[in-house]
Amino acid sequence: MKTEILSDRSETELRRAAQLLAENKLVAFPTETVYGLGANALNGDAVKRIFEAKGRPQDNPLIVHLESPQKAEALAYTSELYYKLAAAFMPGPITVIIPKKDVLPEAVTAGLDSVGIRVPLYAPARELIRIASVPIAAPSANISGKPSPTKAEHVIADMDGRIEAILCGDDCKVGVESTVVKITGEDSLVICRPGGVTEEMLKAVCGNVTIDPAVLSKFDGKPVSPGMKYRHYAPEASVEILVGSEEMVERFLSDKTDFAVICYSGDKKLQKNKNVLILGDENDSQEQASKLFSCLRECDKDKSIKNIYARMPKKSGVGLAVYNRLIKAAGFKITELK
Ligand code: TXA
Ligand code: MG
């Protein structure tokens, strides 16, 4: 298949992308979190093609992207808490899971009775949805199991030839996927996936905020979000997280070969290694989030790298999302250095 490469800076090309979506074709598009792989959420056949293009497991539901929070009325049962969250965080990097209505095809929700609603902050994405005039089901636009795409070039690498069009735009500022929350009561929600909207921010709006155990560690039960159970965000080399000071990591690496090290801008000694990826300032979790997936993809380009060692990030604020993506890339392999 020939994939049209379009730019969101051209009004004509943005319209072309919207037209393809309205015609039930697949179009990848930028958001503030990661690039999405979109299809008309009301068309079951279009939605099924998303799963084929990504090689995505059928039991993993998609989230639905809308131009405004009110548009959810046609698709799902909203509530007071939904609108409180919408007022505080939409448009923005959050997905809110609420009970779905029957108009949504089974393929979108993978048979669940709920649907994730998201209104992206990145303006061209909302413009695209507005012009297409349909709700857009979209997972991240990567091949299943690869790190999510945060730059147009990542999407082209994964999806060229598999979908009708790629709308290219800015690099994704947040850099990790949206915070997924499920409303579980009048004043309660569960964080199923951490992201740009943090636990602290949610606590300012909702009385009872809990974190699904699958977010923080290997979890053998059934996570609230089916997506949390897969080994995700994986580059081809194996990933291991190292807990310890820069000196401890340096000592650990001294007898290792064929590795890359992920560290922070202050880790000057570690930066003397051959393959170094700097996530950013150790105390700037947002900077780390925006660079994480690019770093993991960078490692994939060099086939001589067999192991990636990442010095443990700070877990507070958006740092929880960085930690969550790293432990999943690492298949929960964490080593405490002595
Ligand atoms: O930032 C994002 O959320 C990006 C951009 C494109 O918007 N999208 C994205 O989609 O990350 P995806 O499919 O890669 O991740 C959606 C996550 C999965 O873990 C899925 O299991 C969960 O949301 N999810 C979706 N619908 C759900 C539902 N009804 N109940 C529980 N979890 C759900
Ligand atoms: Mg994904």
Side-chain angles (χ1 to χ4, degrees):
M1 179 186 304
K2 174 103 182 79
T3 300
E4 290 180 43
I5 306 293
L6 306 167
S7 163
D8 71 8
R9 288 187 189 110
S10 152
E11 173 72 25
T12 323
E13 293 183 20
L14 187 95
R15 285 188 174 276
R16 171 70 185 150
Q19 179 200 352
L20 288 167
L21 285 169
E23 289 169 1
N24 302 324
K25 304 288 185 349
L26 301 191
V27 178
F29 63 98
T31 81
E32 75 282 11
T33 57
V34 300
Y35 274 73
L37 174 49
N40 176 0
L42 298 175
N43 186 283
D45 292 332
V47 170
K48 280 185 198 140
R49 284 191 52 224
I50 292 180
F51 288 83
E52 288 161 25
K54 277 186 63 102
R56 181 179 175 102
Q58 298 284 341
D59 70 343
N60 196 2
L62 307 178
I63 60 190
V64 175
H65 297 66
L66 304 174
E67 64 170 293
S68 72
Q70 291 73 22
K71 292 274 177 185
E73 295 296 342
L75 310 173
Y77 297 97
T78 60
S79 59
E80 221 171 286
L81 182 53
Y82 169 81
Y83 278 109
K84 266 170 97 177
L85 293 166
F89 308 118
M90 290 184 186
I94 189 168
T95 296
V96 181
I97 297 172
I98 53 179
K100 70 152 207 168
K101 289 187 176 167
D102 287 340
V103 285
L104 279 175
E106 286 257 307
V108 174
T109 56
L112 297 179
D113 55 9
S114 57
V115 61
I117 302 289
R118 165 153 149 72
V119 180
L121 179 62
Y122 184 66
R126 287 202 311 280
E127 188 62 2
L128 177 75
I129 301 164
R130 190 185 67 75
I131 301 171
S133 300
V134 287
I136 303 295
S140 47
N142 52 290
I143 302 257
S144 227
K146 291 244 173 223
S148 292
T150 54
K151 295 171 185 283
E153 65 191 68
H154 299 159
V155 184
I156 293 171
D158 280 14
M159 289 297 154
D160 196 12
R162 291 172 177 255
I163 59 178
E164 276 80 10
I166 298 171
L167 183 64
C168 303
D170 292 354
D171 291 353
C172 305
K173 291 223 162 53
V174 179
V176 288
E177 305 87 340
S178 61
T179 303
V180 176
V181 301
K182 180 168 185 170
I183 293 183
T184 50
E186 266 175 35
D187 194 29
S188 323
L189 60 79
V190 183
I191 300 176
C192 312
R193 180 175 74 182
V197 172
T198 63
E199 181 187 4
E200 296 78 2
M201 290 160 78
L202 290 163
K203 282 184 171 160
V205 175
C206 177
N208 303 294
V209 174
T210 53
I211 301 184
D212 190 59
V215 166
L216 295 166
S217 56
K218 195 169 163 82
F219 179 63
D220 293 325
K222 196 173 170 210
V224 181
S225 268
M228 295 301 280
K229 67 175 181 269
Y230 299 105
R231 177 174 183 241
H232 236 165
Y233 320 115
E236 272 158 38
S238 83
V239 182
E240 183 170 343
I241 298 173
L242 303 175
V243 185
S245 65
E246 186 193 7
E247 288 69 26
M248 287 162 140
V249 174
E250 197 193 13
R251 221 175 308 131
F252 174 88
L253 294 176
S254 61
D255 61 349
K256 307 280 187 295
T257 52
D258 305 330
F259 68 86
V261 58
I262 295 180
C263 63
Y264 306 96
S265 36
D267 295 342
K268 297 293 179 208
K269 292 192 197 101
L270 291 179
Q271 288 170 33
K272 290 185 187 141
N273 282 289
K274 182 165 162 243
N275 302 306
V276 184
L277 296 151
I278 305 169
L279 270 192
D281 188 301
E282 192 170 0
N283 295 309
D284 188 345
S285 298
Q286 182 47 69
E287 183 185 9
Q288 294 164 29
S290 70
K291 291 185 179 159
L292 177 66
F293 288 140
S294 256
C295 278
L296 294 177
R297 278 183 182 253
E298 231 13 78
C299 293
D300 261 354
K301 286 189 190 154
D302 184 343
K303 300 296 170 209
S304 71
I305 296 174
K306 300 286 180 264
N307 294 292
I308 302 168
Y309 298 106
R311 193 154 92 73
M312 174 83 163
K314 296 235 158 82
K315 280 195 250 177
S316 54
V318 188
L320 187 66
V322 176
Y323 174 72
N324 168 263
R325 302 319 188 265
L326 263 178
I327 54 173
K328 290 173 130 281
F332 302 96
K333 197 165 173 201
I334 304 176
T335 304
E336 301 259 356
L337 301 178
K338 298 216 174 63

